[in-house]
Amino acid sequence: MDSPLDIAPVIPVAVFTDPEQAVGAARALVEGGVRVIEVTLRTEAALESVRRIAAEVGELTVGAGTITAPEQAAAAVEAGAAFLVTPGTTDTVLDAVLATGVPTLPGAATVSEAMRLAERGFTELKFFPAAASGGPDYLRAINGPLPGLRFCPTGGIRPATAGEYLELPNVGCIGGTWLTPADALAAGDYARITQLAAESTQLHTS
């Protein structure tokens, strides 16, 4: 598959409590022109949501995020995840995601963490929590000493600030929770998700 950073300017980061809800949202994203989603493993419905999206919405590349334990990596790939995302990194989690063989965006929030991940062979990273960790100014500052790394910033980013990140040379895409808002999911308002998805496709990377 293409790098997760090159599929779309914004990767929707979604929390699902119902697999049916996940399928509806996935179809709404596709209708809005988005071809990728990160399903966070924060709920009991998460793995089944990955499985249902992978099986029923073939136009969408589905990844699994919030990988915080080694066993989650293999379980997510078995469910159909085409890529993995971690909020931070430990040796055991890194070993587990590498063992799956699928593309992974490991999380880093400091220069030392980014350098350590580069030593392990990762050149595309998640920057999390982006806004709380320094935002665009931080990423701009580290591009000089770490020119070989690209990031997907996630955490605290909103449509109004998205452009500040996407204009940076070391940002491939951003993660956005606003594309699948909890109230829209609860109400089954998939038209709103389609609209938000369509708006996100108008954002562009540098």
Side-chain angles (χ1 to χ4, degrees):
M1 61 167 283
D2 292 335
S3 162
L5 271 65
D6 296 325
I7 299 175
V10 182
I11 297 179
V13 179
V15 180
F16 295 122
T17 58
D18 181 344
E20 281 296 328
Q21 180 188 79
V23 171
R27 289 175 174 154
L29 290 169
V30 170
E31 187 174 342
V34 170
R35 296 290 183 269
V36 62
I37 187 173
E38 175 191 331
V39 177
T40 65
L41 302 189
R42 300 181 186 178
T43 68
E44 293 183 1
L47 283 176
E48 183 60 22
S49 295
V50 170
R51 187 173 288 107
R52 289 283 302 276
I53 292 172
E56 300 178 35
V57 192
E59 309 97 315
L60 200 66
T61 299
V62 58
T66 319
I67 303 290
T68 58
E71 61 272 15
Q72 290 177 315
V77 173
E78 188 277 330
F83 65 95
L84 303 174
V85 185
T86 76
T89 50
T90 65
D91 287 331
T92 53
V93 168
L94 282 179
D95 291 342
V97 297
L98 284 167
T100 68
V102 305
T104 298
L105 299 176
T110 69
V111 171
S112 293
E113 289 170 349
M115 290 174 61
R116 180 170 171 270
L117 289 168
E119 287 182 351
R120 294 291 300 267
F122 293 97
T123 59
E124 297 185 340
L125 314 177
K126 173 176 178 170
F127 176 51
F128 176 83
S133 298
D137 288 343
Y138 184 90
L139 287 168
R140 188 179 294 110
I142 68 172
N143 188 51
L146 302 176
L149 301 181
R150 287 202 305 159
F151 295 88
C152 174
T154 304
I157 302 175
R158 298 291 179 263
T161 60
E164 299 177 52
Y165 289 91
L166 292 171
E167 70 182 8
L168 297 173
N170 57 345
V171 169
C173 68
I174 59 177
T177 58
W178 77 85
L179 278 76
T180 54
D183 58 344
L185 292 172
D189 187 358
Y190 299 122
R192 182 179 168 202
I193 292 173
T194 294
Q195 179 183 353
L196 292 169
E199 291 170 357
S200 79
T201 65
Q202 302 307 305
L203 298 167
H204 299 287
T205 55
S206 61

